[in-house]
Amino acid sequence: MQVIILAAGRGDRLSPITDTVPKPLVEVNGTPLIVNALNILSKYSIERFIVVVGYKGETVMNRLGDEWNGIEIVYVENPRWDSTNNIYSLWLTRDMWDRDTMLLECDVFFEGGLIDSMLSKPFENMVVVDRFQPYMDGTVVELSPEKELVRMITPKDQGESFNHYDKYKTVNIYTFTGKYLRELFRPTMDLYIKARGQNEYYELVLAVLIYMGNQELKAHVCAPHRWFEIDDFTDLQRAEAYVTDSASLLSKVRSIYGGYWRYGFNDFAYLYNSYFPPTSLINELRLNLSDLLRNYPAGQLEINESLANWARIDTSQLAVANGGSEIIATLKRYAKKFAVLAPGFDEYRRSLPDERLHVVQPDPDTLGHAPLRIVEETIRSHSDALVLVNPNNPTGAYFSKEELRYMLNALKHLKMFILDESFADFIATDSGPSLLDELANHPNLVIVRSLSKDLGIPGLRLGYAASGNTGFIAEMRDLLPIWHINSVAQHFINILPKYKKEYAASRTQLIRDRAEMQGLLEGVPDLIVYPSHANYFCCKLPSWTSGAALQEYLFTRHDILIKDLASKPGLIPDRFIRVALKTPEENRHLVSALADGLAYLGGKIAA
C-alpha cells in the first residue's frame, strides 16, 4: 500500500502563521501536521509516500527529505496550487495509481488508533467519516441505518436550510484499491475535469459515482478515535488542547476567562442555570439568526423598554448593559470608597486601589456577616458606598429582606448601597429577598443583576442596573454606548417574556437539585459544606491538601474543572473550593470524583 498526501495549498485561514510556514508544517504543540501523519503511518507496511507540494514546496521537501523512517518519499509538484483545487493535485498523481492507496489531506491531525481501526479489517474502498459537529464544515455524507453510503454532499450543495443533524463529516482520509482507482475513479475524474475544470474538489467525483449507483465505496465511522481538520485558529486551539497533557491544559485554562467549550472538560467552575434557556427559545433565536447578524440592534432606550417588561420595573429605573461587569465598572465612578464583604465577587474590587476599599471580614466559622457589624464598619471606615452580593459569591449565604431593610435604613447617608442580586432568583421559588419592588423607598439603592447566571446565557453578555433614583440611571445610560447590546441579545430580551413558565420551572428544578447536591456533598469524608442559597456550594478542605491539588487531580483524572478559592480574601488560603450546580447526573459524577480525589490525596499524605 502507498499513501498519497495532498499538501499543496496555502492555508489562508491560518495566516499569519502560513505567511512564512507552509500549512503541512504548521505545528500542533510542536508537531507539524504532516509529521504527525508520517510518524503514525510509517508504523505500517507502507511502500512509499507520495506528497503533492505547492505553496513553499521546497520548504516542505527540505524538512521531510527523501525518506521517512526508511520509507521512500516521492514528491509531485503542483505549480498551479494558487489557481487549482485538490482535484488537480490528486490528478497529478494519476500515473502512480498502480496499487492499493491511502489518500489523506495534510491538514488532518489524528491519533494512531484511527488508522488501526481502518487497517485492522480487510482492505477496501473506504471513506472515513465521523458524526457531524457544529464546529465542522466541508463535505458530508448521508448514511443508511446500516451505515451504507447513500450520498456525498459537498459544500456547494449545502444551502442555508441544509440539515446537518443526521449527517457525517468526511475526515479526508480514504483508502482505494488499485483496481478502483484505475478502472473507475480515474476515467470519471478525467471526464469531470474535462467538463468542469481543475478548480474543483475530488469529492465531487466520488459523489457522482455514488449517485450513479456504485456501491464499492464504504463508510468507516472513526469514533471514538479523535481527529482534527486544521483550517483556522479555532481548529488549531482545539487540537492543541486535546493532544497536550492534562496538566499543561489546566495551566492554560487557569490563565483564561472562558471559551471552555473548545476543550471538552466538564466545567463546574463557572456559574449558570443549567435548565434555561429551553430548546424552543434557542430554536427561535436560530430561526432569526440570519436577520439578527445582518442588522444593527436597536438603541439603548428600546432595549431598556423590552427588559423592563421582564424585570417588572419602570423603564426610567433601568439601565441595560453588556454584562454585569460593564455595570460594575461604571458604578466605580460614583463613590470615593467602597465597603465590600469578604469573600466576595472580585470584579467589585478589581482595579480599585487600597485607599478606595474597606474589606469587611467574615465570621471565620460560618463565613457569614452580621448586619450590625457591616453597618458599623461601613460608617467607621468612612466609606460612601457599600457592596452586598446576595446570595454571596462564593459562600451562598444570604440576607433576608428584613436584614437588608435594616442596613438600608441605617446607611441612608451613603451615595450608593449596591445590592448585587445576580443569584437572587435561586434563593426561593417566589420573589425571595429581592428588593426590586422597593426601589422607590430607597433612593441610594442600586440593584445589579447579571443575567448570565439566572438565565443561563453567559455568551450573550447581558446585565442591568436598577434604581429609584431616575436621574442617576439617566446619567449611567449616558456613560454607556448607544449600541452596546448586540442584535442576538436584543432579540433574546424581546422574546424572553414568552418563556416565564419555563424559567419558573428551571428555578424549581434547580432548587430541588440543590437540596440533593448538599446531601451528597455532606456525605464526602473530610469535606465541610456550607449551606447555599445559590447554584453553587463553597466547601472547606482538610488541612492536609489544597484547592490547587484537588483541582489538578479532578482535571487530570476526571476531566472536571472546579473553582480554587485560594486567592479569595476572607478565606484561609488553599483550603476552599467552589463547585457549581448542574444536572443531577453531572452533580453525582462530581461528588464521586471529589470523594475519589480526597481519598487519593489523603492516601498520599498518609504514605
Side-chain angles (χ1 to χ4, degrees):
M1 181 182 72
Q2 65 183 0
V3 177
I4 297 175
I5 303 177
L6 304 184
R10 187 182 189 283
D12 288 330
R13 284 185 279 173
L14 283 168
S15 177
I17 294 177
T18 50
D19 292 348
T20 56
V21 177
K23 190 175 184 181
L25 299 183
V26 170
E27 295 183 355
V28 176
N29 285 349
T31 302
L33 293 168
I34 197 167
V35 169
N36 178 70
L38 293 172
N39 283 340
I40 291 173
L41 290 167
S42 59
K43 297 174 183 178
Y44 300 89
S45 299
I46 306 298
E47 297 165 356
R48 66 183 176 187
F49 292 112
I50 301 170
V51 180
V52 183
V53 296
Y55 174 68
K56 295 189 178 295
E58 187 173 343
T59 303
V60 176
M61 292 187 285
N62 288 339
R63 173 65 175 83
L64 303 183
D66 296 329
E67 56 88 23
W68 195 268
N69 290 337
I71 301 172
E72 178 191 16
I73 299 179
V74 176
Y75 294 101
V76 175
E77 186 175 357
N78 179 357
R80 299 174 57 200
W81 60 266
D82 57 344
S83 60
T84 60
N85 225 310
N86 66 15
I87 194 171
Y88 185 63
S89 288
L90 181 56
W91 188 71
L92 291 174
T93 68
R94 63 195 182 280
D95 291 338
M96 290 180 275
W97 295 354
D98 58 349
R99 67 195 77 177
D100 293 346
T101 299
M102 177 181 290
L103 168 66
L104 63 96
E105 299 189 25
C106 76
D107 59 0
V108 183
F109 195 92
F110 53 90
E111 62 182 23
L114 189 153
I115 303 300
D116 274 336
S117 70
M118 293 173 60
L119 300 183
S120 62
K121 55 177 65 177
F123 194 91
E124 61 182 344
N125 300 302
M126 179 192 303
V127 50
V128 182
V129 299
D130 199 4
R131 177 71 73 174
F132 187 88
Q133 300 297 329
Y135 59 83
M136 296 177 178
D137 57 25
T139 300
V140 298
V141 299
E142 184 178 320
L143 303 183
S144 71
E146 296 77 28
K147 296 295 185 288
E148 295 290 331
L149 274 170
V150 176
R151 62 176 178 144
M152 181 175 283
I153 309 109
T154 59
K156 64 167 56 179
D157 294 319
Q158 300 170 23
E160 287 189 11
S161 59
F162 184 77
N163 180 16
H164 288 88
Y165 176 74
D166 58 348
K167 304 302 187 293
Y168 287 76
K169 171 72 177 73
T170 54
V171 176
N172 297 329
I173 301 178
Y174 304 81
T175 55
F176 303 113
T177 64
K179 180 179 179 181
Y180 180 89
L181 288 171
R182 293 188 303 272
E183 297 181 6
L184 196 61
F185 189 68
R186 178 171 177 175
T188 308
M189 178 180 275
D190 289 341
L191 288 172
Y192 198 94
I193 289 177
K194 185 176 181 179
R196 296 294 183 90
Q198 298 165 347
N199 193 22
E200 294 286 352
Y201 297 92
Y202 63 78
E203 292 94 335
L204 290 164
V205 178
L206 296 173
V208 168
L209 290 170
I210 295 169
Y211 179 77
M212 293 172 61
N214 183 275
Q215 297 180 345
E216 291 186 49
L217 191 62
K218 306 298 182 182
H220 174 73
V221 180
C222 68
H225 305 292
R226 299 292 299 274
W227 63 279
F228 304 88
E229 184 178 11
I230 312 298
D231 284 328
D232 55 35
F233 283 98
T234 300
D235 297 333
L236 188 58
Q237 289 173 337
R238 186 178 288 110
E240 287 182 333
Y242 173 73
V243 300
T244 191
D245 62 280
S246 296
S248 298
L249 179 57
L250 176 59
S251 178
K252 179 176 182 176
V253 167
R254 284 170 170 167
S255 68
I256 61 179
Y257 296 94
Y260 293 167
W261 75 87
R262 297 168 293 178
Y263 303 132
F265 57 81
N266 203 342
D267 176 21
F268 279 87
Y270 278 129
L271 312 171
Y272 55 88
N273 185 344
S274 297
Y275 296 109
F276 200 86
T279 302
S280 52
L281 192 158
I282 294 172
N283 286 338
E284 192 167 348
L285 287 175
R286 183 183 292 118
L287 290 171
N288 290 278
L289 189 58
S290 179
D291 287 337
L292 296 174
L293 293 177
R294 291 188 173 98
N295 288 277
Y296 281 95
Q300 193 185 108
L301 292 179
E302 184 178 332
I303 296 174
N304 280 339
E305 290 175 358
S306 296
L307 188 58
N309 180 24
W310 174 260
R312 301 183 302 279
I313 59 176
D314 190 87
T315 306
S316 64
Q317 299 176 319
L318 186 67
V320 184
N322 186 22
S325 296
E326 187 174 55
I327 288 291
I328 294 169
T330 306
L331 289 175
K332 291 175 183 177
R333 300 168 178 242
Y334 288 97
K336 293 181 180 179
K337 189 170 186 178
F338 291 80
V340 298
L341 307 190
F345 183 42
D346 290 340
E347 197 66 21
Y348 286 100
R349 301 175 65 252
R350 191 173 66 86
S351 78
L352 287 178
D354 290 345
E355 60 268 20
R356 293 188 62 194
L357 278 172
H358 174 73
V359 180
V360 182
Q361 296 295 332
D363 180 292
D365 296 321
T366 67
L367 302 184
H369 297 82
L372 176 60
R373 185 180 173 193
I374 294 172
V375 170
E376 290 176 343
E377 289 205 31
T378 301
I379 295 172
R380 188 164 57 246
S381 64
H382 303 291
S383 299
D384 53 352
L386 170 66
V387 177
L388 295 183
V389 180
N390 194 43
N392 179 278
N393 178 11
T395 69
Y398 85 106
F399 297 105
S400 67
K401 272 190 175 181
E402 291 71 24
E403 290 173 319
L404 292 171
R405 289 175 186 138
Y406 159 73
M407 288 184 280
L408 277 162
N409 290 328
L411 297 171
K412 289 180 180 179
H413 66 284
L414 296 182
K415 285 186 178 180
M416 289 187 298
F417 188 112
I418 301 171
L419 179 61
D420 190 320
E421 294 187 350
S422 295
F423 300 98
D425 281 359
F426 302 137
I427 294 174
T429 54
D430 57 14
S431 61
S434 175
L435 294 184
L436 275 173
D437 56 353
E438 299 187 22
L439 291 172
N441 301 335
H442 308 286
N444 68 342
L445 174 61
V446 181
I447 292 179
V448 176
R449 286 209 169 200
S450 168
L451 300 181
S452 300
K453 280 76 171 177
D454 50 7
L455 297 179
I457 50 163
L460 287 186
R461 309 304 305 137
L462 278 172
Y464 67 85
S467 175
N469 185 343
T470 57
F472 170 75
I473 288 295
E475 190 175 335
M476 278 197 68
R477 289 177 180 173
D478 288 340
L479 293 172
L480 297 171
I482 294 175
W483 284 313
H484 63 316
I485 304 299
N486 66 66
S487 296
V488 179
Q490 179 197 341
H491 191 60
F492 177 86
I493 293 171
N494 290 345
I495 64 178
L496 188 56
K498 294 195 296 184
Y499 297 92
K500 287 182 178 179
K501 289 183 178 179
E502 289 83 351
Y503 179 61
S506 76
R507 293 172 62 194
T508 300
Q509 182 64 51
L510 192 146
I511 291 169
R512 185 184 301 126
D513 292 349
R514 182 173 66 208
E516 177 189 298
M517 177 71 151
Q518 181 167 336
L520 293 172
L521 287 170
E522 289 174 345
V524 176
D526 300 314
L527 191 69
I528 296 175
V529 184
Y530 291 85
S532 175
H533 293 83
N535 59 336
Y536 48 85
F537 285 92
C538 180
C539 304
K540 185 177 181 181
L541 303 176
S543 59
W544 40 260
T545 191
S546 67
L550 182 59
Q551 182 191 58
E552 181 173 357
Y553 182 86
L554 294 180
F555 193 85
T556 56
R557 302 294 184 91
H558 294 279
D559 291 325
I560 287 174
L561 180 69
I562 61 172
K563 180 71 172 178
D564 175 20
L565 301 177
S567 62
K568 285 283 185 185
L571 299 177
I572 301 172
D574 301 322
R575 293 284 301 283
F576 287 85
I577 60 170
R578 188 192 67 200
V579 295
L581 189 66
K582 304 187 80 170
T583 65
E585 182 179 4
E586 291 172 306
N587 295 337
R588 295 176 196 127
H589 177 56
L590 169 69
V591 172
S592 174
L594 282 169
D596 173 60
L598 288 172
Y600 172 82
L601 295 169
K604 283 188 66 176
I605 297 297

